[in-house]
C-alpha cells in the first residue's frame, strides 16, 4: 500500500530549495549589486587626511596687507588608541580644565572609537610648540594643521567680514564642504569665498582595525594636491578707513566714501564697530554672543542696513547748474 504521506518529501524539498534560493539571491545582491558594505569595509581600512589650503590674502588699494593667515592647529584624537597618560600636564599645556578634557574624550568616543575626531580646535602656535615636545607620550593624539585669519589694522570689520565653521545648513547647500571646514560668513570673506578658499587636498592611508596608520594607500597614487586661495586687492583705503573709524568713535552712525569717477568704495565705516580679530579662534562664539546681546549692536552694519533720512538732494543740482553757467568753479568755496 502506497504511503499517503510520501508526497510531503517534495514539499519539504521545495521549502529547502526556496529558502536556499532566497539566501543565494540575497548574497548576490549584497556582494555584487549593493555597495554599502564594500564602502563600509573600505572606510574601516582607509583614512583620508585633509590638507587644508591657506586662504587668499587681502590688500587695500595701495597694496597694504589688511588680512593674512596665521598657523593654527586642531588636536585630533582616536579614542581606541588612547592609553593612560598624564592628564594634568596636557591640561596645563592646552589651558583646559579636567572636566573639559573628560568631556571632549567622551564626545570623541561616542562618535567613533577608531576614527579621528577633533579633541580641541585652533591651538595657538605657542601651545603647539609646547605640545610637540610631549605629544609622543600621548598615543592616539595627533595634530591637524590649519590657518586662522588675522587683521593687523583691527578695522573694517563689517566690510571684511569673518570666517566660521560650516553648519548643517551650509553642508546641505554646498557639497564641497564637510564637517569641520571653514567658510566666509559675511563681508568680503563671504562674497569672494570661492576665490579666497582655494582647493583642498588630501592623502589616503591604510589603517588597521584600531585606526593605526600602516602606510600610504596605493603608494599615494590617489592623493590630491591642494591649491592656496587667490589674493584679492580691494578698492578700500585702509588709512582713510581708520581715520573714519576714529572720527566715529563713541558715536552711532556710518560713513561711506566713494570715488565718483569709478564708484569705488574708499571706506565703509559703521559705528560702533569691533576688532575683527575677536571673531577668530576658540573664543569666537563667546565674543560673538557678547556683541549680539550688546544694546549698541556692534554687529549691525549701519552703512548698508540702517535707514537714514535723505539729505538735501537739491543742493548738488544747484551746484551743477552753477558750474554749467560758469558762475562757480570746482575751487569756489562757500563763505
Amino acid at each position: 500500500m502506497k504511503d499517503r504521506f510520501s508526497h510531503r518529501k517534495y514539499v519539504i524539498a521545495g521549502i529547502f530549495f526556496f529558502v536556499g534560493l532566497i539566501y543565494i539571491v540575497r548574497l548576490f545582491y549584497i556582494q555584487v549589486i549593493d555597495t554599502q558594505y564594500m564602502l563600509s569595509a573600505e572606510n574601516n581600512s582607509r583614512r583620508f587626511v585633509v590638507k587644508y589650503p591657506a586662504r587668499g590674502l587681502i590688500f587695500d588699494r595701495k597694496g597694504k596687507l589688511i588680512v593674512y593667515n596665521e598657523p593654527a592647529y586642531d588636536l585630533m584624537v582616536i579614542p581606541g588608541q588612547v592609553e593612560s597618560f598624564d592628564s594634568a600636564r596636557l591640561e596645563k599645556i592646552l589651558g583646559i580644565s579636567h572636566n573639559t578634557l573628560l568631556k571632549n574624550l567622551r564626545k570623541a568616543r561616542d562618535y567613533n572609537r577608531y576614527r579621528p575626531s577633533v579633541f580641541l580646535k585652533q591651538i595657538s602656535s605657542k601651545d603647539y610648540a609646547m605640545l610637540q615636545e610631549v605629544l609622543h607620550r600621548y598615543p592616539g593624539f595627533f595634530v591637524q594643521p590649519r590657518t586662522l585669519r588675522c587683521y593687523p589694522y583691527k578695522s573694517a570689520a563689517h566690510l571684511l567680514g569673518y570666517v566660521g565653521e560650516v553648519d548643517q545648513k551650509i553642508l546641505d547647500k554646498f557639497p564641497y564642504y564637510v564637517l569641520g571646514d571653514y567658510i566666509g560668513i559675511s563681508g568680503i570673506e563671504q562674497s569672494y569665498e570661492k576665490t579666497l578658499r582655494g582647493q583642498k587636498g588630501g592623502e589616503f592611508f591604510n589603517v588597521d582595525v584600531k585606526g593605526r596608520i600602516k602606510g600610504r594607500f596605493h603608494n599615494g597614487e590617489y592623493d590630491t594636491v591642494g591649491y592656496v586661495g587667490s589674493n584679492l586687492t580691494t578698492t578700500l583705503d585702509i588709512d582713510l578707513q581708520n581715520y573714519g573709524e576714529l572720527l566715529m568713535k563713541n558715536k552711532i552712525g556710518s560713513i561711506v566714501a566713494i570715488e565718483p569717477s569709478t564708484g569705488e568704495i574708499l571706506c565703509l565705516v559703521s559705528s560702533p564697530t569691533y576688532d575683527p580679530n575677536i571673531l577668530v579662534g576658540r573664543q569666537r562664539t563667546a565674543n560673538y554672543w557678547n556683541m549680539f546681546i550688546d544694546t549698541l549692536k556692534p554687529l549691525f552694519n549701519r552703512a548698508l542696513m540702517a535707514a537714514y533720512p535723505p539729505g538735501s538732494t537739491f543742493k548738488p543740482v544747484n551746484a551743477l547748474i552753477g558750474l554749467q553757467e560758469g558762475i562757480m568753479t570746482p575751487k569756489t568755496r562757500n563763505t
Side-chain angles (χ1 to χ4, degrees):
M1 182 176 180
K2 188 176 180 181
D3 188 358
R4 60 192 181 93
F5 297 110
S6 61
H7 68 281
R8 291 186 177 182
K9 64 182 178 181
Y10 300 107
V11 175
I12 295 174
I15 292 174
F16 276 100
F17 176 79
F18 183 71
V19 171
L21 183 62
I22 292 175
Y23 273 101
I24 292 172
V25 171
R26 182 58 181 166
L27 288 173
F28 177 81
Y29 177 80
I30 291 175
Q31 297 184 24
V32 179
I33 299 175
D34 188 6
T35 61
Q36 174 184 354
Y37 296 99
M38 180 185 70
L39 293 175
S40 178
E42 288 179 351
N43 289 334
N44 289 332
S45 63
R46 192 179 308 161
R47 183 190 304 165
F48 180 69
V49 178
V50 179
K51 298 295 182 182
Y52 292 100
R55 289 178 72 85
L57 308 178
I58 302 178
F59 299 86
D60 82 339
R61 63 188 301 112
K62 297 178 181 177
K64 293 183 178 180
L65 183 62
I66 55 178
V67 184
Y68 65 92
N69 302 300
E70 283 190 339
Y73 308 88
D74 290 346
L75 182 60
M76 312 294 289
V77 64
I78 302 176
Q81 298 179 15
V82 174
E83 301 175 359
S84 298
F85 60 88
D86 185 351
S87 60
R89 188 171 186 180
L90 186 62
E91 292 160 10
K92 183 177 180 181
I93 292 174
L94 300 177
I96 60 175
S97 65
H98 187 64
N99 287 337
T100 300
L101 182 142
L102 294 178
K103 183 182 72 174
N104 291 357
L105 274 178
R106 191 181 309 113
K107 183 178 179 181
R109 193 178 296 112
D110 292 341
Y111 167 69
N112 194 307
R113 288 184 56 85
Y114 301 112
R115 295 182 69 83
S117 59
V118 177
F119 176 81
L120 192 65
K121 297 178 181 178
Q122 301 171 350
I123 300 172
S124 66
S125 299
K126 180 180 177 182
D127 292 342
Y128 171 69
M130 293 188 292
L131 182 64
Q132 277 292 85
E133 297 180 0
V134 298
L135 194 59
H136 64 279
R137 301 180 182 177
Y138 296 90
F141 289 90
F142 66 96
V143 170
Q144 170 77 65
R146 301 294 291 262
T147 58
L148 295 178
R149 295 304 244 177
C150 187
Y151 308 87
Y153 289 93
K154 303 179 180 180
S155 60
H158 296 92
L159 180 62
L160 297 172
Y162 65 95
V163 175
E165 190 170 350
V166 297
D167 56 19
Q168 190 58 49
K169 185 185 296 184
I170 295 174
L171 294 176
D172 294 338
K173 189 175 181 181
F174 302 106
Y176 170 83
Y177 300 98
V178 296
L179 196 64
D181 285 357
Y182 288 83
I183 188 175
I185 302 296
S186 65
I188 290 176
E189 295 281 14
Q190 181 188 44
S191 299
Y192 292 90
E193 167 65 16
K194 288 186 179 180
T195 302
L196 292 169
R197 74 186 181 191
Q199 179 66 42
K200 291 183 294 186
E203 299 174 328
F204 287 94
F205 294 94
N206 293 318
V207 297
D208 62 14
V209 293
K210 293 188 176 181
R212 293 173 296 198
I213 293 177
K214 294 299 181 182
R216 289 185 176 277
F217 177 71
H218 280 256
N219 295 320
E221 180 181 348
Y222 297 98
D223 294 351
T224 56
V225 179
Y227 299 95
V228 176
S230 300
N231 298 336
L232 282 181
T233 298
T234 68
T235 63
L236 178 71
D237 186 329
I238 194 62
D239 294 325
L240 184 62
Q241 177 76 23
N242 289 338
Y243 182 61
E245 293 191 8
L246 178 63
L247 292 176
M248 292 299 295
K249 191 174 183 180
N250 299 323
K251 298 180 178 68
I252 295 178
S254 63
I255 299 174
V256 179
I258 303 176
E259 171 55 53
S261 62
T262 61
E264 296 174 346
I265 303 297
L266 303 179
C267 82
L268 190 144
V269 177
S270 177
S271 182
T273 185
Y274 59 93
D275 179 355
N277 291 293
I278 69 175
L279 292 184
V280 175
R282 296 206 304 269
Q283 298 303 316
R284 186 184 74 85
T285 302
N287 292 334
Y288 183 91
W289 175 250
N290 290 335
M291 290 192 292
F292 182 79
I293 63 177
D294 191 330
T295 56
L296 294 177
K297 298 183 178 180
L299 292 172
F300 183 62
N301 188 346
R302 290 173 168 82
L304 299 180
M305 302 170 67
Y308 297 109
S312 176
T313 58
F314 194 66
K315 291 176 182 177
V317 174
N318 283 337
L320 289 172
I321 293 172
L323 289 171
Q324 183 176 332
E325 297 298 324
I327 300 173
M328 63 178 63
T329 69
K331 296 183 179 180
T332 301
R333 298 174 62 89
N334 185 21
T335 58

